[in-house]
Amino acid sequence: MSFPDGFLWGTATAAHQIEGGNATSDWWEFEHRPGTPCLEPSGDACDSWHRWPEDLDLCAVLGFGTYRFSIEWSRIEPAEGEWSRAALDHYRRICDGCRERGLVPMVTFHHFTSPRWLAERGGWEAPDAPERFARFCQRAAAALGDLVGWACTINEPNVVALMGYVLGAFPPGVHDQDRRRRVDDALVRGHRLAVEALRSGPGSAPVGLTLSMSDYQALPGGEALADRLRHQSEDVYLQATGGDDFVGVQTYTRIRVGPDGMLGPEPGVPVTQMGYELWPEAVEATVRRAAAVSGLPVLVTETGVGTAEDGDRIAYFSRVLQGVRRCLDDGVDVGGLVAWSLLDNFEWTLGYQPTFGLVAVDRRTFERRPKPSAHWLGELARHGGGDLAG
Ligand code: GAL
């Protein structure tokens, strides 16, 4: 199975999940809070703050063409209005390091974590949070913009709002629908201001939002509820992407909805380490939907599977790629696939238990060991296709 020339093949990470010692962020505080839902703190993570050259080497040597990573706002602006040149230089070295290895740097400006000073002022509920975020983007773009290949404003704002303000599983740990709606508005505004800030240059990287999407499947009688859930979690954001250069789709599973609510896994369908169904076809469904609703070119900026069985990962990506190929055959503009994740890393509330990595990381020595799936997917990337499993 072959993919077009120019199709992007990449791997993704996020600062807090791999860097380690990210102590000025709201997540660090959340992990150490009495009664935290987190199974364990992030600690040293994968020590990528120091070992990033090894990560880039792996990504490039395996055969990928792009590396998606996030820059940590709380390191760059550790106190309000106080900017760390050293942190910006650090991320500039990573962008440079990508370029030197032939990797296109795909930079995310907000991946779940915010600085503690902002959290103390109300986080995304602080009246000026969108402006503060845009100011950070502008500073970061001034330092890195000429090297950035793709710019992602806010990673999964819908997850930030849902997990943080309804399910209480992300900071600030709140359960309140009304507050979630206000935070949705703030995140939409933050995204729009960030697009403007990032476009102020230097550089001319395409700018977009990366959204968590699921394939909502209504069972008889569940249609209206499925529409409502999908609308509130996804469309609110897709409708805010007008004028962007692309939309990033990040999909992990389907969600079945009956008349009384969301249903758990269907008997007989395998379940991942995350507790949801292994359902790779959800990527195809959401790519089609994101393209139709936004009218923008689509990139799959994340998909992957938490599993201890690496063979299941190969089967998962094979089915995902078949779906992407069907989209291309139907003329859907999907420009690439970025696998979550390069490394086994800190999976938020679930700590280091779920393993999404193409590469295993020894928790004591930080040694990186590519799994068979890393070599398999890297070969597909190198050749723009090949034999898919199954
Ligand atoms: C996404 C998130 C990533 C990663 C992944 C796997 O929602 O952007 O940070 O955790 O899910 O669960």
Side-chain angles (χ1 to χ4, degrees):
M1 180 169 292
S2 72
F3 288 81
D5 287 347
F7 188 82
L8 282 182
W9 299 79
T11 68
T13 60
H16 189 73
Q17 295 177 272
I18 63 164
E19 285 181 348
N22 192 19
T24 45
S25 78
D26 60 343
W27 257 91
W28 186 273
E29 184 277 322
F30 187 67
E31 291 157 22
H32 294 88
R33 205 182 268 186
T36 178
C38 295
L39 295 184
E40 55 188 324
S42 53
D44 286 331
C46 305
D47 191 30
S48 290
W49 181 258
H50 301 105
R51 291 167 200 262
W52 62 266
E54 221 183 304
D55 299 342
L56 300 192
D57 284 346
L58 275 169
C59 189
V61 167
L62 285 166
F64 295 97
T66 191
Y67 180 59
R68 175 170 177 243
F69 63 100
S70 73
I71 60 172
E72 181 58 45
W73 182 5
S74 66
R75 289 189 192 264
I76 294 173
E77 191 182 3
E80 187 166 4
E82 218 175 286
W83 304 92
S84 167
R85 170 165 296 277
L88 285 169
D89 285 351
H90 172 87
Y91 291 117
R92 190 164 173 92
R93 284 194 292 275
I94 299 183
C95 291
D96 257 330
C98 286
R99 296 288 183 190
E100 281 160 19
R101 291 165 179 82
L103 296 168
V104 177
M106 185 179 289
V107 178
T108 306
F109 288 75
H110 186 282
H111 196 123
F112 292 170
T113 48
S114 294
R116 274 162 96 148
W117 59 260
L118 183 68
E120 281 154 20
R121 293 223 282 96
W124 284 102
E125 291 175 293
D128 60 348
E131 284 75 15
R132 294 287 80 97
F133 175 60
R135 184 177 65 168
F136 155 70
C137 287
Q138 203 197 345
R139 281 299 267 247
L144 314 172
D146 56 321
L147 294 174
V148 172
W150 294 81
C152 308
T153 56
I154 304 178
N155 183 74
E156 301 187 348
N158 50 345
V159 167
V160 173
L162 178 71
M163 297 293 263
Y165 295 84
V166 181
L167 303 179
F170 278 19
V174 163
H175 301 266
D176 186 330
Q177 272 292 355
D178 292 336
R179 287 173 69 181
R180 174 219 189 154
R181 274 191 211 100
R182 288 199 291 274
V183 166
D184 281 332
D185 292 344
L187 287 160
V188 162
R189 205 152 64 80
H191 166 64
R192 296 273 23 115
L193 292 175
V195 172
E196 257 177 63
L198 296 175
R199 283 189 176 148
S200 67
S204 54
V207 185
L209 180 78
T210 59
L211 195 63
S212 169
M213 295 184 72
S214 302
D215 180 12
Y216 286 85
Q217 299 184 353
L219 273 68
E223 294 82 357
L225 182 57
D227 281 350
R228 200 164 75 239
L229 291 170
R230 193 194 290 112
H231 178 85
Q232 114 184 351
S233 173
E234 298 181 357
D235 297 359
V236 167
Y237 289 97
L238 284 175
Q239 287 161 1
T241 58
D244 293 359
D245 300 305
F246 72 95
V247 60
V249 167
Q250 313 203 150
T251 300
Y252 289 87
T253 195
R254 68 169 178 174
I255 296 178
R256 297 183 312 136
V257 184
D260 301 320
M262 296 197 258
L263 304 171
E266 185 174 357
V269 175
V271 167
T272 74
Q273 288 169 330
M274 302 297 282
Y276 49 65
E277 289 174 324
L278 190 148
W279 197 265
E281 286 68 32
V283 175
E284 174 180 359
T286 51
V287 163
R288 289 181 189 276
R289 184 150 198 286
V293 176
S294 72
L296 295 172
V298 172
L299 280 181
V300 178
T301 41
E302 278 184 26
T303 188
V305 57
T307 177
E309 297 299 326
D310 194 52
D312 290 351
R313 195 173 340 272
I314 293 178
Y316 177 87
F317 279 111
S318 289
R319 283 166 60 185
V320 167
L321 285 164
Q322 283 162 16
V324 169
R325 185 61 257 184
R326 286 189 290 272
C327 292
L328 288 164
D329 292 342
D330 290 343
V332 178
D333 184 356
V334 48
L337 181 130
V338 180
W340 185 269
S341 172
L342 177 65
L343 305 174
D344 284 343
N345 62 40
F346 179 70
E347 181 51 36
W348 309 109
T349 317
L350 299 178
Y352 293 96
Q353 309 307 312
T355 46
F356 279 89
L358 298 168
V359 175
V361 179
D362 185 297
R363 297 252 24 89
R364 255 177 342 104
T365 63
F366 304 116
E367 188 201 336
R368 278 92 164 118
R369 277 187 313 267
K371 304 175 189 177
S373 59
H375 296 292
W376 172 82
L377 193 58
E379 278 308 295
L380 288 179
R382 198 187 304 282
H383 302 293
D387 288 338
L388 301 182

